[in-house]
C-alpha cells in the first residue's frame, strides 16, 4: 500500500562524487546555511574570489552533489500535521517499505535505523484525514509492517534549520543564518505563493527572473512574495548533500525525555549545537527528537556525554543510529548502485 502512493521529487544525479576538497567543503557549508546566498556573498564570507566560487560551485550544483531545495514550515501552515513515525518491519522487506514511504509526497525524511528492522520518517500530513488514512489504512495494509509508533511534532525548533555541519566559524555562520532573526507576521497565502514554493522545492537557487517566467508573473511581484515568505519563515530553504562528503560518518536520532518545565529550554539549546540538524518537541514517552551528525562514533559519544550529559532534567535517552538515508528534506537520495 505504501508503495502505491504519490511520488516525491526525484533529482537525477549524473555523477556521484566520492570526495570534496577543502574549498568545496567550505562552499558547501555556506550553501547549507544560506542556500540562496549570492556568489559574491559566498566569496566574501570565505575570503576567496567570486570567480573561484563560481568555478568550484557550479559543477557541484550541475551534477547534483549540492541540491538546493525548500520545504514548507508546518508552524506557518495550520493545515499541515507534522509527525514522526517509527516503523518496525521484517528486515527482508525494510528497503522496499522505506522506498514506498519515500515516494509519498508528504514524507520529508526517511531513514533506515541501525538495527536493520526499523524505519524512521518525518511527514507533513495534509490534515487530520491524511493522518487517519496513514495510521488506520496505509500502515495496517502494508505487508511486513509489524508495529509502529506515531509522534506529533508539537514544536520544531527553528535554530536547527540553518546548519553548516559545523564547518563555519561562529561569526560567518551567524551572518548567514536566516532563522536566527524573528519572523514577521505570516501573510495570507496566495495561489502564487504555493506555486512559488513548489518551484523553490525544485531549485531553491532559481533566479527571480526565471521564477517569474515559469510562474507567469512579474519579477517584482515574485521578488516581493519571495522576500515575504522567507522573512515570515513560511518556507525553509535547504541544500542537500551526502554528509560523508563533509567528513560526517555517524548520524543518529536521539529520543529524549525531559521534564515539561525544561522542554523548551532544552530543545532550544540542543537545536543551536553545530552537530544538530533537527530538533522537535514531540508527543509520546520521549518528548524531544534530535537528529545528530558527528564525524565518527567518538564524536557522537562526546556529544552524548558532554553536551546532552551537561543538561539538567534529562530523564531518559535512547540513541538510534542511522544506517542509511532514503529521503532528506523532501528529496529522494540518489542510488549508489
Amino acid at each position: 500500500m505504501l508503495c502505491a502512493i504519490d511520488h516525491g521529487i526525484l533529482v537525477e544525479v549524473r555523477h556521484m562524487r566520492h570526495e570534496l576538497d577543502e574549498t568545496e567543503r567550505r562552499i558547501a557549508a555556506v550553501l547549507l546555511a544560506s542556500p540562496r546566498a549570492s556568489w559574491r556573498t559566498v566569496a566574501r564570507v570565505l575570503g576567496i574570489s567570486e570567480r573561484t566560487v563560481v568555478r568550484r560551485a557550479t559543477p557541484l550544483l550541475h551534477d547534483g552533489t549540492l541540491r538546493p531545495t525548500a520545504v514548507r514550515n508546518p508552524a506557518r501552515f495550520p493545515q499541515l500535521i507534522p509527525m514522526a513515525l517509527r516503523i518496525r518491519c521484517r528486515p527482508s522487506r525494510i528497503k522496499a517499505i522505506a522506498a514506498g514511504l519515500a515516494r509519498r509526497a508528504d514524507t520529508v525524511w526517511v531513514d533506515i535505523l541501525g538495527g536493520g528492522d526499523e524505519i524512521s520518517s518525518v511527514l507533513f500530513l495534509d490534515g487530520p484525514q491524511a493522518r487517519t488514512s496513514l495510521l488506520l489504512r496505509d500502515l495496517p495494509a502494508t505487508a511486513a509492517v509489524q508495529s509502529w509508533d506515531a509522534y506529533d511534532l508539537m514544536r520544531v525548533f527553528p535554530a536547527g534549520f540553518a546548519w553548516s555541519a559545523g564547518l563555519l566559524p561562529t561569526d560567518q555562520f551567524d551572518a548567514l543564518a536566516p532563522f536566527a532573526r524573528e519572523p514577521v507576521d505570516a501573510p495570507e497565502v496566495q495561489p502564487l505563493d504555493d506555486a512559488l514554493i513548489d518551484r523553490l522545492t525544485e531549485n531553491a537557487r532559481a533566479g527571480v527572473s526565471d521564477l517569474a517566467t515559469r510562474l507567469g508573473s512579474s519579477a517584482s511581484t515574485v521578488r516581493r512574495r519571495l522576500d515575504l515568505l522567507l522573512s515570515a519563515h513560511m518556507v525553509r530553504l535547504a541544500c542537500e548533500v551526502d554528509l560523508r562528503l563533509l567528513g560526517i560518518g555517524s548520524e543518529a536520532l536521539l529520543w529524549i525525555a525531559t521534564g515539561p518545565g525544561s522542554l523548551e529550554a532544552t530543545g532550544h539549546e540542543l537545536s543551536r549545537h553545530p552537530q544538530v540538524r533537527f530538533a522537535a518537541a514531540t508527543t509520546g514517552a520521549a518528548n524531544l527528537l534530535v537528529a545528530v551528525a558527528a564525524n565518527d562514533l567518538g564524536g557522537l559519544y562526546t556529544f552524548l556525554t558532554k553536551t546532552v550529559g551537561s543538561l539538567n532534567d534529562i530523564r531518559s535517552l535512547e540513541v538510534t543510529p542511522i544506517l542509511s538515508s532514503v529521503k532528506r528534506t523532501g528529496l529522494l537520495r540518489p542510488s549508489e548502485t
Side-chain angles (χ1 to χ4, degrees), residues 169-183:
T170 301
D171 57 339
Q172 295 179 359
F173 177 77
D174 289 345
L176 290 166
F179 273 79
R181 296 183 286 275
E182 287 298 316

Side-chain angles (χ1 to χ4, degrees), residues 188-196 215:
E188 182 178 349
V189 178
Q190 301 177 2
L192 177 62
D193 298 331
D194 283 325
L196 177 55
L215 295 171

Side-chain angles (χ1 to χ4, degrees), residues 244-286:
R244 292 171 298 182
L245 297 176
L246 305 181
I248 291 172
S250 181
E251 292 187 82
L253 298 179
L254 311 184
W255 307 85
I256 299 172
T258 185
S262 59
L263 177 57
E264 178 80 1
T266 301
H268 271 296
E269 183 168 352
L270 287 176
S271 73
R272 290 192 291 266
H273 194 280
Q275 288 177 268
V276 171
R277 296 199 70 193
F278 176 84
T282 76
T283 58

Side-chain angles (χ1 to χ4, degrees), residues 231-254:
S231 60
H233 294 187
M234 300 288 287
V235 64
R236 172 202 170 190
L237 300 182
C239 186
E240 278 303 309
V241 62
D242 184 340
L243 297 186
R244 292 171 298 182
L245 297 176
L246 305 181
I248 291 172
S250 181
E251 292 187 82
L253 298 179
L254 311 184

Side-chain angles (χ1 to χ4, degrees), residues 10-314:
L10 174 63
V11 176
E12 180 184 359
V13 177
R14 291 175 289 274
H15 174 66
M16 290 296 296
R17 296 274 177 144
H18 297 290
E19 61 181 15
L20 298 180
D21 64 25
E22 183 62 25
T23 298
E24 291 167 338
R25 286 188 178 188
R26 294 172 67 208
I27 291 172
V30 172
L31 294 183
L32 284 172
S34 183
R36 285 186 66 84
S38 68
W39 295 138
R40 180 175 298 180
T41 297
V42 177
R44 174 178 53 79
V45 167
L46 297 180
I48 58 180
S49 72
E50 185 175 348
R51 182 176 180 179
T52 296
V53 170
V54 173
R55 179 171 56 84
R56 303 300 292 276
T58 300
L60 300 179
L61 293 167
H62 179 72
D63 66 20
T65 300
L66 299 177
R67 301 191 290 168
T69 187
V71 293
R72 287 168 173 79
N73 179 3
R76 293 300 209 176
F77 290 86
Q79 81 278 10
L80 293 180
I81 298 176
M83 174 186 289
L85 277 179
R86 294 181 68 176
I87 303 172
R88 287 164 289 279
C89 52
R90 292 204 306 267
S92 62
R93 294 289 297 162
I94 195 165
K95 288 186 177 180
I97 294 172
L101 274 170
R103 286 195 291 269
R104 290 178 60 112
D106 53 10
T107 52
V108 183
W109 282 32
V110 178
D111 292 315
I112 297 175
L113 302 183
D117 63 350
E118 187 175 1
I119 297 167
S120 175
S121 180
V122 171
L123 305 93
F124 291 168
L125 295 160
D126 191 12
Q129 183 56 52
R131 175 169 58 183
T132 299
S133 296
L134 172 66
L135 297 179
L136 300 185
R137 185 194 66 190
D138 298 347
L139 285 170
T142 303
V145 168
Q146 297 172 330
S147 64
W148 61 88
D149 295 310
Y151 309 85
D152 286 345
L153 304 184
M154 299 182 293
R155 175 174 174 80
V156 178
F157 295 99
F161 287 167
W163 186 72
S164 69
L167 296 177
L168 295 179
T170 301
D171 57 339
Q172 295 179 359
F173 177 77
D174 289 345
L176 290 166
F179 273 79
R181 296 183 286 275
E182 287 298 316
V184 302
D185 291 339
E188 182 178 349
V189 178
Q190 301 177 2
L192 177 62
D193 298 331
D194 283 325
L196 177 55
I197 294 172
D198 288 342
R199 299 289 80 75
L200 293 173
T201 299
E202 296 173 1
N203 178 13
R205 288 189 62 82
V208 170
S209 296
D210 179 58
L211 290 169
T213 298
R214 297 190 63 185
L215 295 171
S217 183
S218 68
S220 60
T221 298
V222 169
R223 181 178 291 106
R224 176 170 52 83
R225 296 308 298 183
L226 175 59
D227 290 344
L228 188 55
L229 290 173
L230 294 177
S231 60
H233 294 187
M234 300 288 287
V235 64
R236 172 202 170 190
L237 300 182
C239 186
E240 278 303 309
V241 62
D242 184 340
L243 297 186
R244 292 171 298 182
L245 297 176
L246 305 181
I248 291 172
S250 181
E251 292 187 82
L253 298 179
L254 311 184
W255 307 85
I256 299 172
T258 185
S262 59
L263 177 57
E264 178 80 1
T266 301
H268 271 296
E269 183 168 352
L270 287 176
S271 73
R272 290 192 291 266
H273 194 280
Q275 288 177 268
V276 171
R277 296 199 70 193
F278 176 84
T282 76
T283 58
N287 56 7
L288 186 60
L289 171 61
V290 178
V292 180
N295 289 348
D296 50 30
L297 287 174
L300 177 60
Y301 177 81
T302 299
F303 179 85
L304 295 174
T305 55
K306 302 297 185 182
T307 300
V308 179
S310 68
L311 298 173
N312 295 322
D313 204 20
I314 300 296

